[in-house]
Amino acid sequence: MDASTVVFKVRLKVGYLSKSFELKARLKDFKPPTHISFVGHGSDAEITGNLDIRSISDTSSEVSYSIEIRSISVTGKTAIAMIGNDLVKKQATQFAGCVKKKLEKSS
């Protein structure tokens, strides 16, 4: 690994169903402190994402993000179908909340 690559071990669980997988993610574009773009690959899915931070005033910022998940195997399609978009949206909302909390602490 290097400074722009990381391996995530992810375990998703919905009710009694669970799926574990590894995802190798790499920064595609990094312009601190305003932009991050990444791509991740695993055996079942690929994920791409962007995070942008824009200053609105001296005391507030706007954070926008996008995440796209593409299944690349039958197992990946099944896992995405089981988990559904609601869980992805929930995770994205939690992520945005964490970013907001970190930004508020640093100011």
Side-chain angles (χ1 to χ4, degrees), residues 21-83:
F21 58 93
E22 280 192 5
L23 183 70
K24 184 177 180 180
R26 176 181 55 80
L27 290 176
K28 283 181 16 181
D29 191 22
F30 185 53
K31 297 175 185 161
T34 60
H35 176 77
I36 296 172
S37 177
F38 67 90
V39 62
H41 300 277
S43 61
D44 298 320
E46 293 178 343
I47 184 169
T48 57
N50 295 291
L51 174 78
D52 292 292
I53 302 172
R54 182 175 67 91
S55 178
I56 296 173
S57 70
D58 289 343
T59 59
S60 64
S61 297
E62 175 183 77
V63 176
S64 61
Y65 58 91
S66 65
I67 298 173
E68 181 180 344
I69 302 171
R70 290 178 305 280
S71 60
I72 56 175
S73 72
V74 173
T75 305
K77 288 178 185 176
T78 303
I80 291 170
M82 285 182 349
I83 295 164

